[in-house]
Amino acid sequence: MRQEGYIKYRSYLTDGAIPELDGFEELNRCRTELFDLRLIGIYPDGIGFGNVSMRVDTERFIITGSATGAVRELARDHYALVESIDLKNNSVHAVGKINASAETMSHGAVYRTLPGVNAVIHIHSRLLFDYMRREGYPATDAAIPFGTPELALAIGYLVTSIPGDDGVFVTAGHDEGVIAYGATVASALAGIRQVYTKGTM
Ligand SMILES: [Zn+2]
């Protein structure tokens, strides 16, 4: 059974507007580009995959909402503002009109571990996933499934082994899953474009 799209954490959502943020338009354009490349979207069974996020401050970030994979161009209300993540209690507090992505904890782990990172992208691709596995890209343990505090901890550990604030890795226990992050939206997107060019050659 595919596990994508299924929220495994306890979600505490407070109704509210997403603040206007510098860089939002760029993040949203990046998400549309990934949708057009079919790296974010929806499987034939109706389950969405892929998500993007951007840091707001030390703790908080905005992330695409759950079940938005069918929509090509998102509006602000398709995003949730994540206020805090509690790994120990497996819970996420967010503000918005929509639940944060099922993979919020994975994004949060990167922000928490690397203060210089301001954007995280998670895409799905059979081609890129297999290519990166073959080429020995950094990867989380294949025994760790998606959307869990265990994966968040593993991601935090993994990204400290990758030098700098830009990186790309595979979530080996989450089939087709690839995560890129960077100091800017542009650098995170560049990471995806780079493996896309190599992996689809
Ligand atoms: Zn995923």
Side-chain angles (χ1 to χ4, degrees):
M1 190 191 104
R2 194 184 290 123
Q3 299 186 330
E4 187 73 9
Y6 163 53
I7 294 178
K8 293 178 173 175
Y9 58 78
R10 237 171 316 146
S11 173
Y12 296 95
L13 181 68
T14 306
D15 184 68
I18 303 302
E20 282 194 30
L21 298 166
D22 285 345
F24 173 80
E25 297 303 330
E26 187 188 6
L27 178 71
N28 206 34
R29 273 198 305 276
C30 155
R31 195 260 175 207
T32 305
E33 177 178 332
L34 296 168
F35 182 94
D36 288 342
L37 290 171
R38 297 174 193 272
L39 299 176
I40 287 178
I42 192 162
Y43 287 113
D45 60 5
I47 302 294
F49 59 85
N51 30 73
V52 301
S53 70
M54 185 177 79
R55 187 195 290 277
V56 175
D57 52 31
T58 312
E59 279 285 315
R60 302 185 301 160
F61 58 94
I62 59 164
I63 187 165
T64 43
S66 182
T68 55
V71 185
R72 178 174 181 268
E73 201 173 328
L74 300 187
R76 200 180 299 274
D77 281 351
H78 286 115
Y79 288 74
L81 173 65
V82 177
E83 303 231 283
S84 65
I85 294 174
D86 186 338
L87 287 185
K88 219 156 143 191
N89 291 308
N90 191 27
S91 63
V92 170
H93 284 80
V95 172
K97 305 280 180 202
I98 192 167
N99 271 315
S101 158
E103 284 163 288
T104 293
M105 284 197 172
S106 297
H107 290 245
V110 181
Y111 293 122
R112 189 171 286 189
T113 310
L114 301 177
V117 167
N118 291 298
V120 178
I121 296 170
H122 169 57
I123 59 100
H124 276 221
S125 165
R126 174 84 277 141
L127 222 51
L128 300 198
F129 183 89
D130 291 347
Y131 165 76
M132 291 174 71
R133 292 294 278 153
R134 272 199 314 276
E135 296 295 318
Y137 276 76
T140 52
D141 194 294
I144 304 173
F146 116 99
T148 58
E150 290 72 27
L151 181 59
L153 290 171
I155 287 172
Y157 185 72
L158 181 68
V159 297
T160 56
S161 73
I162 302 171
D165 287 331
D166 302 323
V168 191
F169 64 90
V170 183
T171 50
H174 175 40
D175 196 29
E176 301 191 0
V178 174
I179 293 180
Y181 57 90
T184 62
V185 170
S187 60
L189 182 58
I192 294 289
R193 280 182 181 146
Q194 210 167 62
V195 285
Y196 185 85
T197 304
K198 293 180 191 163
T200 57
M201 266 198 307

